[in-house]
């Protein structure tokens, strides 16, 4: 997307996701240079960049684009603040990597996908499909799958501690644990098995749930996705049972355990895989297929929204 030696990289949103994932990923590369950041809290942006005097900081996305002339932008804002900076970047012809979910609402997500430049320039950070263990896992699990179980467990805000408490605000977040963590798991499953039918869903709160259980079917193969964002442990595990036994992709331990006893370990941090893949695309070291498109992210969000609709229907029928 650019012929320069080093791409000019900027970010909108300086919270934990940017600090833990996007910034280290950019810093690890010789072909990317951080030139500016925007945050609603000007003091936070300034403090974060205190040891980087050449990096522009501010609160206005239009000024960021005008004054730093970035080639690529990461959008790491709360869910309800994705659309504005993403569309501004696309209007300016800038490649943009948006955090998941694409937006707080399906309507906003559709508006982003409809932008004429979205197909070429907009990627979404859903990393598991890019993990190096995915191909051998898919090769083992795709044929003869009889059952699929996904466990996504995390201490949530006790560990990640968002800079602002937007995760608990239904309007800003658009949902709870299912919209927060569900896209990761659903995208992984859809990468291997295609689009599912949503059979049922239960959540522990009607607005911002911490626990959800979703029942899916992939061409008749039953799947259960369990999400717990208020646990005391961490686990990200996909188990596919075939006639040979269980094949387990353990993303917490970074290993693949096949039914025949074979164990393959990986060094790659799974949460950085999509960011690295997107940077590879924009620097020209990988094909455009190496990113999660906005259209793909919308399809995932529609599955999540269908699960929420099932949960609302079940609650109404029971109440």
């Amino acid at each position: 997307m650019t012929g320069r030696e080093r791409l000019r990289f900027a970010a909108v949103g300086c919270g934990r996701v940017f600090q833990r994932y996007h910034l280290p990923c950019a810093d690890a590369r010789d072909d990317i240079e951080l030139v500016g950041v925007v945050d609603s809290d000007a003091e936070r942006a300034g403090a974060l960049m205190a040891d980087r005097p050449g990096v522009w900081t501010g609160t206005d996305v239009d000024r960021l684009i005008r004054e730093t002339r970035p080639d690529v932008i990461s959008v790491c804002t709360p869910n309800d603040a994705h659309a504005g900076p993403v569309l501004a970047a696309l209007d300016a012809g800038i490649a943009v990597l948006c955090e998941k979910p694409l937006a707080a609402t399906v309507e906003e997500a559709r508006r982003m996908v409809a932008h004429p430049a979205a197909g070429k320039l907009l990627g979404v950070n859903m990393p598991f499909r890019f993990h190096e263990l995915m191909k051998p896992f898919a090769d083992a699990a795709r044929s003869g799958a009889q059952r699929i179980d996904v466990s996504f467990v995390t201490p949530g805000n006790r560990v990640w501690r968002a800079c602002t408490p937007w995760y608990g605000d239904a309007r800003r977040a658009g949902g709870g644990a299912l919209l927060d963590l569900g896209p990761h798991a659903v995208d992984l499953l859809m990468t291997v098995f295609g689009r599912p039918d949503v059979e049922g869903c239960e959540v522990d709160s009607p607005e911002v749930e911490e626990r959800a259980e979703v029942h899916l079917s992939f061409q008749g193969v039953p799947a259960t996705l369990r999400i717990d964002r208020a646990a005391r442990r961490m686990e990200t595990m996909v188990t596919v049972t075939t006639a040979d036994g269980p094949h387990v992709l353990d993303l917490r331990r970074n290993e693949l355990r096949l039914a025949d006893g074979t164990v393959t370990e990986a060094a790659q941090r799974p949460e950085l895989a999509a960011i690295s893949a997107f940077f590879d695309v924009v620097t020209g070291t990988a094909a455009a297929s190496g990113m999660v498109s906005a259209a793909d992210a919308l399809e995932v969000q529609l599955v999540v929204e269908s699960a929420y609709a099932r949960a609302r229907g079940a609650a109404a029928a029971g109440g």
Side-chain angles (χ1 to χ4, degrees), residues 150-237:
V150 183
S151 176
F152 207 146
V153 174
T154 172
N157 283 332
R158 291 205 303 272
V159 170
W160 307 120
R161 291 187 296 278
C163 292
T164 55
W166 65 270
Y167 279 102
D169 184 329
R171 181 187 62 82
R172 303 209 70 190
L178 179 55
L179 186 60
D180 178 23
L181 301 178
H184 289 309
V186 172
D187 183 64
L188 185 157
L189 293 176
M190 288 176 66
T191 299
V192 180
F193 298 105
R195 180 158 182 160
D197 294 318
V198 179
E199 307 289 352
C201 179
E202 301 89 41
V203 296
D204 67 355
S205 170
E207 289 194 337
V208 182
E209 77 283 352
E210 294 300 313
R211 297 178 180 86
E213 183 170 305
V214 185
H215 303 281
L216 307 167
S217 176
F218 292 89
Q219 296 183 339
V221 178
T224 301
L225 167 59
R226 297 178 180 87
I227 297 174
D228 186 346
R229 200 172 60 176
R232 295 185 177 275
R233 60 190 177 91
M234 297 184 72
E235 180 178 273
T236 307
M237 188 178 299

Side-chain angles (χ1 to χ4, degrees), residues 33-140:
E33 173 188 10
L34 180 65
V35 295
V37 296
V38 157
D39 195 88
S40 58
D41 186 334
E43 290 186 4
R44 178 167 62 225
L48 184 62
M49 296 294 124
D51 60 346
R52 302 171 188 245
V55 175
W56 185 91
T57 64
T59 59
D60 185 87
V61 175
D62 290 334
R63 280 194 64 194
L64 171 76
I65 291 173
R66 188 170 60 250
E67 298 195 20
T68 69
R69 298 172 291 106
D71 300 299
V72 58
I73 290 176
S74 281
V75 173
C76 307
T77 55
N79 297 346
D80 69 324
H82 285 178
V86 165
L87 294 173
L90 295 177
D91 284 344
I94 299 167
V96 55
L97 178 62
C98 182
E99 269 301 316
K100 56 73 199 166
L102 191 54
T105 67
V106 168
E107 291 72 24
E108 275 202 329
R110 285 196 170 110
R111 186 159 65 97
M112 295 157 73
V113 171
H115 192 286
K120 181 180 180 182
L121 296 178
L122 176 55
V124 184
N125 184 22
M126 292 191 291
F128 292 159
R129 69 159 73 177
F130 299 107
H131 194 274
E132 61 190 270
L133 295 176
M134 269 294 289
K135 185 180 185 306
F137 172 70
D139 289 344

